[in-house]
Amino acid sequence: ARSRGARGGAGAETQVGNDLGSPEPLRWLLRSPFDRNVPVQLELQELLLDHVFQRLGVSSQGCVDHPVVLTEAVCNPLYSRQMMSELLFECYQVPKVSYGVDSLYSFYHNRRQNWPCSGLVISSGYQCTHILPVLEGRLDAKHCKRINLGGCQAAVYLQRLLQLKYPGHFAAVTLSRMEEILHEHSYIAQDYTEELQKWRCPEYYENNVHKMQLPFSNKLLGSTVASEEKQEKRQQQLRRLQELNARRREEKLQLDQERLDRLLYVQELLEDGQMDQFHKALVELNMDSAEELQSYINKLSLSVEQTKQKILQSEVNIEVDVVDSKPETPDLDPLGSEQSLEDVESINEFEPLFAEEQPEVEKPVAAVQPVFNLAEYHQLFLGTERIRAPEIVFQPSLIGEDQAGIAETMQYVLERYSKEQQAILVQNVFLTGGNTMYPGLKARIQKELLEMRPFQSSFQVHLASSPVLDAWYGARDWAVEYTNREEGWITRKDYEEKGGEYLKEHCASNVYVPIRLPKQAPRTAEAAAPSRASGTGNPSEQA
C-alpha cells in the first residue's frame, strides 16, 4: 500500500507485507504486482524486492551479490519471465538466477525413499488450482490444467453468503474474517448433497453449528447502564440546573432593582418640585402621568419582593423551582425591554429540561432490563456455510463459473495417458498449497478417485507435511544441493546472449519453449505469386 503523504510533509509512504497491520482500512489502497499468480506490474515487484533484500540484511553496495532462486507460475508466459530477469540482472546485478514451480518444489521436498518419481500433483493456492502430471521426475507441461479458483474466491463467496444472511452486520463481515472462518471452521464434505441433508436436521444443526462472536460495545445501547449510575448522573444534572436557575434569578433581581431605583429617583423629583426635570424624565420613560409612574413602582416593588422570597426558598428547599415562562411584571423601562425579553426566552429554553429531569423520589428506580442480548445479536452462526464455501473447487457452478472442478479436471488429465501411465500417476497423488488444508479434502479426493478408477485398482493420496511452507523448504533444499552446479542456473552471460525469457530446466522447473518466429518469404517470391495467380483461368483457384 502506498499512502499519499501529508500536506507539506514527505512524499508517499510505502508499506509492504506485515507492516500494513490490518488490511481492511487500507484495502482500497492495496496494490499487487500479480494478475492471478503471474507478475505483470514490475515497478511494484521492484518495491517488494527492495523490502525483501532490506529485511534479509543484504549488505552489498549497489548490487545483490547472491544467487537468487525464484518461483514462478506453471507455464509462465515468456514476457513475465523476461521482465523479471531484466529486473534482477539489470537493477540488482545478481550473479545468477534459477526459476522453479512452487508446487514441484513442495513435491520434491516431501519425496521419501520409497516414493516413485512420477505422480499427479494437485496444487491449490490463493488464486488458482493446478493439476500437474509428473512423469519420470519431469513435469509434463502439455497436459497441465489450471482452474481459476482458489482461496480468494472461496472467501469472497463466503462473504457474500454471510452478508445476505446478516444484513445488519454488513460492514463487519470483512474478507479478513472470512479467511479466518475458512481456516478455522470450514471443511470439505465427502458427499456434498448428503451433507446438506444432514444439516436440515435440527439436532445435527445444534450439535455442529459454530458461533463466531463479532466485536461490539455496550455503549451502543443505554439499557445496559446500571440504574445507580443513571440516578447519580441525573442528580448531577439537577444540581447543575439548580445553580443555573439560581444565578439567573439573581441576575433578574439585580436588573429589577436597578429599574426600581431609577423610578424612585423620578418620583423624588416630583416630591422636590423639580417639575421640568420630572416631565422630561416621564417623556424618556414613555409615561403620561404621575399615577402611571406610581402604578409601575408598586408592581415592580412586588416583583422584587417575590424574587427575593424565591431565592431564599430555593436555598432551603431541595427541589428545583421552575421559573414561570410568563413575565411576572410588565416592562417598566422601554430602554431595557429587549434585555428582559431575552431573559424570559432563555428561561423558556430550560423549562423542558426541568420537567424531564425532575426526579421521582417516592417511586424506587427499578433495574432496566435489556430488550435483547447484545452479545448474541453480534454472533454469526456458521451452518452450511462451513461446507458451501470450500466446495467451489469441486463445483465452480456454485458461484456461476463455467469451469470444471478438481475431480473432472483430474479425470480429464488422466485420460490423456495410457492405462499403464494412469496407474503410475495415481500411485502418488500429492496435495499441496494453502487451499488444501481443509479437513476432509484428502478423503474427498480418495472418494473421487475411487469413483473414476477401474474396479479393484489401487491408488494413494498424500498430503504435504506443511502445505504452505513446503515450497520454500523445497527451494531451499534445491539451492543447497545445486549451488556449485551449473544445472538450472541462468548466468548473466546466458541472459545477455539468449534473452530474458531463457530458462534452464531442472527437476522442479517449467519446460522451456523458445520463441520461434516464422521465416519470412523473399519479396520477389511474394510479388511473383499474385502474377501467377492472375494468369490462371480458373476463377475458383484465383479466389
Side-chain angles (χ1 to χ4, degrees):
R2 181 182 295 174
S3 59
R4 297 178 180 177
R7 293 183 178 178
E13 179 184 2
T14 302
Q15 296 175 323
V16 178
N18 293 334
D19 294 343
L20 291 170
S22 176
E24 294 305 328
L26 302 173
R27 191 167 291 278
W28 63 282
L29 286 174
L30 295 183
R31 298 293 181 268
S32 173
F34 296 96
D35 181 7
R36 295 285 182 172
N37 59 336
V38 177
V40 293
Q41 300 288 340
L42 272 301
E43 63 275 6
L44 298 179
Q45 183 65 41
E46 183 178 352
L47 295 176
L48 294 181
L49 291 177
D50 289 342
H51 177 82
V52 168
F53 293 140
Q54 181 181 2
R55 291 301 180 95
L56 290 177
V58 177
S59 59
S60 53
Q61 296 294 330
C63 66
V64 178
D65 193 15
H66 296 272
V68 175
V69 179
L70 200 66
T71 59
E72 63 178 6
V74 180
C75 302
N76 191 35
L78 297 182
Y79 172 77
S80 177
R81 185 186 302 137
Q82 177 186 358
M83 298 301 295
M84 187 65 70
S85 296
E86 181 180 346
L87 178 64
L88 291 174
F89 284 110
E90 301 293 344
C91 182
Y92 296 102
Q93 305 293 325
V94 298
K96 55 184 179 180
V97 64
S98 176
Y99 295 101
V101 180
D102 50 0
S103 54
L104 296 182
Y105 280 133
S106 177
F107 178 72
Y108 286 106
H109 174 71
N110 287 270
R111 187 175 55 183
R112 301 182 180 92
Q113 294 181 356
N114 57 347
W115 274 28
C117 295
S118 302
L120 191 65
V121 180
I122 301 177
S123 172
S124 184
Y126 188 67
Q127 289 285 1
C128 54
T129 301
H130 289 97
I131 311 294
L132 310 177
V134 179
L135 288 173
E136 301 298 331
R138 289 296 293 122
L139 174 68
D140 187 5
K142 292 183 179 179
H143 297 142
C144 292
K145 294 300 174 184
R146 161 175 161 162
I147 307 170
N148 289 324
L149 291 175
C152 176
Q153 288 74 22
V156 172
Y157 180 49
L158 181 60
Q159 182 187 35
R160 186 170 58 186
L161 290 176
L162 291 181
Q163 284 178 344
L164 290 173
K165 186 177 181 180
Y166 298 99
H169 304 314
F170 191 88
V173 181
T174 61
L175 283 177
S176 300
R177 290 198 176 98
M178 298 306 101
E179 292 175 358
E180 178 185 351
I181 292 175
L182 287 175
H183 295 162
E184 299 181 3
H185 303 281
S186 298
Y187 67 97
I188 298 289
Q190 291 193 21
D191 191 323
Y192 181 68
T193 306
E194 182 181 350
E195 192 73 15
L196 287 180
Q197 294 296 328
K198 292 181 181 179
W199 278 99
R200 298 184 65 180
C201 177
E203 294 181 1
Y204 186 86
Y205 179 87
E206 292 294 333
N207 295 332
N208 294 277
V209 66
H210 286 193
K211 300 176 183 179
M212 183 177 181
Q213 182 67 58
L214 295 176
F216 67 96
S217 175
N218 285 331
K219 296 181 180 180
L220 295 176
L221 293 177
S223 59
T224 57
V225 181
S227 58
E228 294 80 5
E229 297 179 0
K230 279 190 172 183
Q231 185 68 17
E232 180 65 24
K233 185 177 180 181
R234 180 175 297 178
Q235 292 295 338
Q236 292 177 1
Q237 292 177 351
L238 288 175
R239 283 193 292 269
R240 287 197 299 267
L241 291 174
Q242 278 183 332
E243 295 173 359
L244 180 62
N245 190 29
R247 186 166 58 251
R248 288 189 171 275
R249 280 177 176 160
E250 291 176 358
E251 293 175 356
K252 183 177 181 298
L253 176 62
Q254 183 180 1
L255 184 61
D256 291 345
Q257 188 66 42
E258 291 176 358
R259 293 175 182 171
L260 180 61
D261 293 341
R262 184 178 180 182
L263 295 178
L264 291 176
Y265 171 74
V266 175
Q267 189 178 26
E268 290 178 359
L269 292 177
L270 176 62
E271 293 176 354
D272 294 341
Q274 301 177 7
M275 302 303 296
D276 295 337
Q277 295 181 3
F278 173 72
H279 289 295
K280 185 177 181 180
L282 283 181
V283 172
E284 292 177 358
L285 295 175
N286 197 16
M287 294 184 183
D288 298 333
S289 61
E291 290 79 8
E292 186 177 357
L293 174 64
Q294 186 64 38
S295 175
Y296 274 97
I297 290 176
N298 295 336
K299 293 180 179 179
L300 192 57
S301 300
L302 180 61
S303 175
V304 169
E305 291 298 328
Q306 290 179 353
T307 305
K308 289 181 180 180
Q309 292 295 329
K310 288 184 178 181
I311 292 176
L312 295 176
Q313 185 179 3
S314 63
E315 294 177 356
V316 179
N317 194 358
I318 300 177
E319 296 182 358
V320 179
D321 293 331
V322 181
V323 180
D324 192 1
S325 61
K326 297 181 180 180
E328 297 178 1
T329 57
D331 285 328
L332 302 178
D333 190 358
L335 298 178
S337 59
E338 295 181 357
Q339 189 173 2
S340 61
L341 288 175
E342 291 177 358
D343 292 340
V344 174
E345 290 175 358
S346 61
I347 294 175
N348 290 339
E349 294 177 359
F350 288 90
E351 185 175 3
L353 293 177
F354 285 100
E356 291 177 2
E357 300 296 338
Q358 189 170 0
E360 298 178 1
V361 183
E362 295 82 9
K363 298 181 180 180
V365 180
V368 181
Q369 297 295 331
V371 179
F372 59 91
N373 192 332
L374 192 61
E376 292 184 358
Y377 175 72
H378 287 83
Q379 285 181 356
L380 301 181
F381 287 75
L382 306 175
T384 57
E385 294 83 9
R386 295 176 56 196
I387 62 174
R388 293 176 68 182
E391 183 66 21
I392 64 172
V393 293
F394 290 92
Q395 301 185 51
S397 59
L398 292 176
I399 59 173
E401 291 288 340
D402 188 14
Q403 302 183 51
I406 289 182
E408 294 87 347
T409 307
M410 187 166 50
Q411 184 177 8
Y412 179 85
V413 170
L414 289 175
E415 289 177 351
R416 303 302 98 181
Y417 297 95
S418 62
K419 293 183 179 180
E420 293 76 11
Q421 290 177 326
Q422 291 183 24
I424 294 174
L425 290 175
V426 297
Q427 291 303 317
N428 188 13
V429 178
F430 180 71
L431 307 177
T432 185
N435 205 40
T436 62
M437 298 177 66
Y438 296 115
L441 178 63
K442 182 178 178 180
R444 176 68 175 270
I445 295 294
Q446 290 174 342
K447 173 181 175 294
E448 299 291 347
L449 282 172
L450 185 63
E451 294 178 354
M452 71 178 65
R453 296 300 297 154
F455 178 64
Q456 291 185 346
S457 62
S458 62
F459 55 85
Q460 293 184 14
V461 180
H462 305 279
L463 180 65
S465 57
S466 178
V468 176
L469 298 177
D470 277 353
W472 186 88
Y473 289 133
R476 177 200 61 181
D477 298 342
W478 186 93
V480 171
E481 183 178 354
Y482 287 83
T483 300
N484 299 322
R485 303 183 189 180
E486 295 183 359
E487 180 185 354
W489 292 104
I490 305 171
T491 62
R492 185 173 184 85
K493 183 179 179 181
D494 296 329
Y495 164 73
E496 294 175 350
E497 290 181 358
K498 302 177 182 179
E501 69 275 3
Y502 176 66
L503 172 69
K504 274 190 177 180
E505 298 181 9
H506 56 87
C507 60
S509 70
N510 278 308
V511 177
Y512 176 54
V513 181
I515 300 177
R516 292 184 175 88
L517 298 177
K519 293 183 179 180
Q520 295 183 358
R523 294 184 178 180
T524 56
E526 292 178 359
S531 62
R532 289 195 300 268
S534 61
T536 59
N538 190 350
S540 63
E541 292 180 357
Q542 295 180 15

